[in-house]
């Protein structure tokens, strides 16, 4: 026990998060487990039971007690799934306060609606309909309260945030004053006017959070040291000013009574990446009968006009920059790149393309085998198109931030593909890819799917 206490004290002194308890808890935490799951489940189930007791006493209507409790358990599970994909369990940085109530209330309404959609055909309600307004209101308050409780417990266990201020002297003095008045649990341990010293000072003073309090060039922070800070769970915050507000900043949090936005080296949080994957798997299952028939017919055509090999495999850069083997129907001559090497495709007019296969490229039917890559998790149905590793390396050297397009698995189709052509400049493609990541939603994916069908019909290469 004494050894454990000394370890925690040392980790606090160095600004690290202490180990989360027994080995089994540590293993679960490494896989994404959070005690908030348990707190929210208890709150959800408890609120449902409490509302029933207040409304009906101990004489609950109709069904048996076991049926009611089973319904509450099912409704609790639905809420937790909606909260998870809504981002309520994404790990957050410690400094500043977020406006949780509105977000939690919106997700609670979605969860209750999901319960209704599941149970309307059976006419069995896990929550009595008259209870829904009260359950919704009290659940939103309870789940919001759990976020504040989690914040208090985290500060109690890990100690106060250790803050470094970056900017001009006047802005740093003002920020320090505001922190002392509004965020008394935060401790300013370092200040600098030189962004190039961030890593040095962060290590020397065991900083947990970095506040950019003046106008700062993002080139001074991205991609490094922002990526390294994020890997070590150090928060980096940019003060919102009239100038940078023109970029349409979202998810603003209050620190020291002033608005800041958290800077991240990635665009989509893990919950959204997994939600996107879940949506695409559902779509893949729904389309499977059509895809199997169309792919089979296309394979027979390619075999007849182009012969063997039927498929063409090529190394491409995938999720987080990892290479994978992308498969498609072969539409070029077998020795197409022996003389040219790796070059950008020029679409259906590419002289390397077999004439009888040009229409396949125009309609994108040559990409059908990539649904196998989607099934394996190497690709998405919709996302940035994957490039060859040698091209990726070249573009990364020429185009700042090019690596950000690898935040999600690459797609069979994407925003750049429905708005541009095969030979669209890589820098312009990156603009479309970043726009897609920033604005991702299932509705946007649906829009891209519809536009992809139009591109296929119009054979616009």
């Amino acid at each position: 026990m004494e050894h454990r206490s000394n370890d925690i004290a040392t980790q606090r002194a160095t600004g690290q998060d202490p180990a989360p308890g027994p080995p089994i808890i540590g293993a679960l935490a490494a896989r994404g487990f959070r005690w908030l799951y348990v707190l929210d489940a208890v709150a959800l189930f408890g609120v449902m039971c409490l509302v029933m007791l207040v409304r009906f006493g101990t004489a609950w209507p109709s069904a048996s007690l076991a049926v009611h409790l089973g319904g509450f358990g099912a409704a609790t599970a639905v809420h937790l799934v909606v909260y998870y994909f809504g981002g309520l369990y994404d790990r957050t940085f410690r400094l500043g306060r977020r406006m949780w109530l509105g977000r939690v209330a919106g997700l609670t309404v979605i969860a209750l609606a999901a319960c209704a959609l599941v149970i309307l055909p059976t006419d069995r309600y896990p929550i009595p309909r008259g209870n829904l307004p009260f359950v919704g209101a009290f659940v939103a308050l309870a789940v919001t309260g759990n976020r504040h409780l989690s914040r208090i417990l985290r500060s109690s266990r890990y100690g106060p945030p250790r803050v470094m201020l970056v900017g001009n002297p006047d802005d740093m003095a003002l920020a320090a004053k505001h922190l002392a008045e509004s965020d008394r649990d935060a401790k300013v341990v370092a200040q600098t006017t030189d962004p190039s010293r961030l890593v040095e000072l962060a290590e020397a003073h065991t900083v947990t959070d970095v506040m950019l309090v003046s106008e700062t060039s993002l080139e001074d922070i991205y991609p490094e040291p922002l990526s390294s800070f994020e890997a070590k769970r150090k928060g980096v915050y940019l003060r919102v000013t009239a100038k940078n507000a023109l970029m349409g900043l979202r998810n603003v949090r209050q620190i020291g009574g002033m608005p800041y936005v958290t800077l991240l080296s990635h665009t989509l949080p893990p919950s959204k990446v997994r939600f996107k994957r879940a949506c695409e798997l559902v779509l893949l299952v729904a389309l499977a009968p059509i895809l199997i028939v169309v792919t089979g017919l296309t394979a027979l055509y390619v075999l007849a006009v182009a012969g063997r090999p039927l498929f063409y495999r090529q190394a491409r850069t995938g999720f987080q920059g990892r290479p994978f083997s992308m498969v498609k129907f072969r539409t070029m001559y077998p020795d197409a790149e022996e003389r040219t090497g790796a070059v950008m495709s020029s679409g259906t007019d590419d002289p390397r393309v077999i004439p009888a296969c040009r229409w396949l490229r125009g309609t994108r039917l040559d990409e059908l085998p990539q649904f196998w890559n989607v099934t394996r998790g190497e690709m998405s149905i919709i996302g940035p198109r994957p490039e060859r590793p040698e091209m990726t390396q070249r573009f990364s050297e020429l185009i700042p931030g090019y690596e950000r397009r690898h935040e999600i698995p690459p797609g069979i189709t994407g925003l750049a593909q429905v708005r541009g052509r095969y030979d669209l400049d890589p820098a312009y493609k990156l603009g479309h890819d970043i726009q897609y990541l920033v604005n991702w939603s299932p509705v946007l994916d649906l829009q891209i799917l519809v536009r992809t069908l139009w591109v296929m019909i119009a054979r616009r290469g």
Side-chain angles (χ1 to χ4, degrees):
M1 180 65 71
E2 180 180 355
H3 178 69
R4 169 70 179 162
S5 300
N6 290 338
D7 285 346
I8 292 178
T10 301
Q11 290 166 330
R12 281 183 176 177
T14 57
Q16 302 173 6
D17 285 353
I24 187 172
I25 300 300
L28 289 173
R31 294 178 176 273
F33 172 80
R34 300 191 64 190
W35 283 107
L36 268 177
Y37 297 139
V38 178
L39 288 175
D40 285 350
V42 171
L44 284 159
F45 196 86
V47 165
M48 294 175 198
C49 291
L50 183 61
V51 170
M52 284 290 286
L53 287 171
V54 170
R55 187 178 177 198
F56 299 107
T58 57
W60 290 8
S62 318
S64 65
L65 178 63
V67 171
H68 280 296
L69 294 181
F72 294 166
T76 296
V78 171
H79 278 73
L80 291 177
V81 170
V82 171
Y83 291 162
Y84 176 83
F85 287 125
L88 290 192
Y89 301 109
D90 290 336
R91 293 192 179 276
T92 59
F93 297 106
R94 299 171 58 194
L95 195 61
R97 300 179 182 276
R98 298 186 65 178
M99 304 298 182
W100 286 111
L101 183 57
R103 187 176 179 185
V104 171
L107 291 173
T108 300
V109 171
I110 293 174
L112 292 173
C115 289
L117 288 176
V118 170
I119 60 184
L120 276 176
T122 64
D123 200 33
R124 293 179 179 273
Y125 289 79
I127 306 172
R129 283 167 284 186
N131 290 14
L132 290 177
F134 304 101
V135 169
F138 289 119
V139 159
L141 291 172
V143 172
T144 300
N146 282 343
R147 267 81 201 140
H148 294 291
L149 175 62
S150 174
R151 176 187 175 91
I152 294 171
L153 294 175
R154 191 176 181 185
S155 295
S156 174
R157 183 175 189 186
Y158 299 157
R162 297 172 60 83
V163 181
M164 175 165 59
L165 304 179
V166 184
N168 65 55
D170 290 340
D171 287 338
M172 287 192 292
L174 182 61
K177 178 183 177 182
H178 279 288
L179 280 173
E181 294 174 351
S182 302
D183 289 72
R184 296 185 181 90
D185 58 338
K187 182 179 180 181
V188 177
V189 295
Q191 301 186 33
T192 181
T193 59
D194 184 3
S196 66
R197 299 188 63 202
L198 292 182
V199 175
E200 170 196 345
L201 292 174
E203 294 297 328
H205 296 277
T206 60
V207 168
T208 63
D209 298 89
V210 178
M211 293 174 55
L212 308 176
V213 299
S214 301
E215 291 288 350
T216 304
S217 172
L218 294 183
E219 293 180 356
D220 294 331
I221 191 75
Y222 178 81
E224 290 293 345
L226 180 60
S227 296
S228 297
F229 284 163
E230 187 175 344
K232 296 178 181 179
R233 295 185 184 173
K234 298 181 187 292
V236 181
Y237 315 93
L238 174 68
R239 182 167 68 89
V240 176
T241 64
K243 184 182 294 186
N244 58 37
L246 295 175
M247 296 186 293
L249 301 175
R250 295 186 295 179
N251 296 325
V252 174
R253 63 174 64 206
Q254 298 296 318
I255 303 177
M258 301 184 71
Y260 285 79
V261 65
T262 305
L263 299 183
L264 299 170
S265 61
H266 62 275
T267 306
L268 284 179
S271 59
K272 283 193 174 183
V273 175
R274 292 175 186 132
F275 183 46
K276 173 177 167 60
R277 174 65 174 165
C279 291
E280 293 198 335
L281 287 177
V282 171
L283 181 61
L284 193 61
V285 171
L287 295 178
I290 299 174
L291 290 174
I292 291 172
V293 172
V294 176
T295 302
L297 293 174
T298 306
L300 292 175
Y301 176 82
V302 173
L303 195 60
V305 301
R308 297 182 182 275
L310 178 62
F311 299 109
Y312 177 65
R313 297 179 182 275
Q314 192 178 68
R316 295 292 178 106
T317 303
F319 181 49
Q320 295 182 346
R322 294 191 293 264
F324 73 100
S325 179
M326 189 185 78
V327 61
K328 61 191 301 185
F329 285 123
R330 183 175 63 85
T331 56
M332 292 186 179
Y333 295 105
D335 58 349
E337 292 192 344
E338 285 186 2
R339 296 182 179 180
T340 63
V343 296
M344 295 287 292
S345 172
S346 57
T348 56
D349 296 329
D350 195 317
R352 299 171 299 171
V353 177
I354 298 170
C357 293
R358 294 188 190 281
W359 72 274
L360 289 177
R361 294 174 70 85
T363 57
R364 307 298 200 267
L365 289 176
D366 61 324
E367 314 285 358
L368 282 171
Q370 288 161 35
F371 281 99
W372 173 245
N373 292 114
V374 175
T375 303
R376 290 168 55 89
E378 297 166 333
M379 293 183 67
S380 302
I381 296 177
I382 299 168
R385 281 294 293 169
E387 292 289 356
R388 301 169 71 164
E390 55 268 35
M391 298 289 188
T392 299
Q393 182 177 358
R394 184 194 311 171
F395 297 152
S396 298
E397 294 171 354
L398 296 175
I399 306 171
Y402 188 80
E403 299 83 359
R404 297 204 73 159
R405 70 195 306 273
H406 303 137
E407 291 181 14
I408 60 173
I412 296 177
T413 184
L415 194 61
Q417 282 61 53
V418 299
R419 289 186 174 177
R421 300 175 64 88
Y422 263 107
D423 55 353
L424 187 66
D425 184 87
Y428 285 95
K429 280 186 181 179
L430 178 63
H432 289 304
D433 295 337
I434 297 300
Q435 180 187 2
Y436 173 75
L437 290 172
V438 170
N439 296 285
W440 178 84
S441 71
V443 174
L444 178 58
D445 275 359
L446 182 60
Q447 291 175 330
I448 293 174
L449 274 178
V450 172
R451 295 191 65 174
T452 298
L453 292 175
W454 170 248
V455 169
M456 294 173 65
I457 295 170
R459 295 176 60 176
R460 179 168 61 84

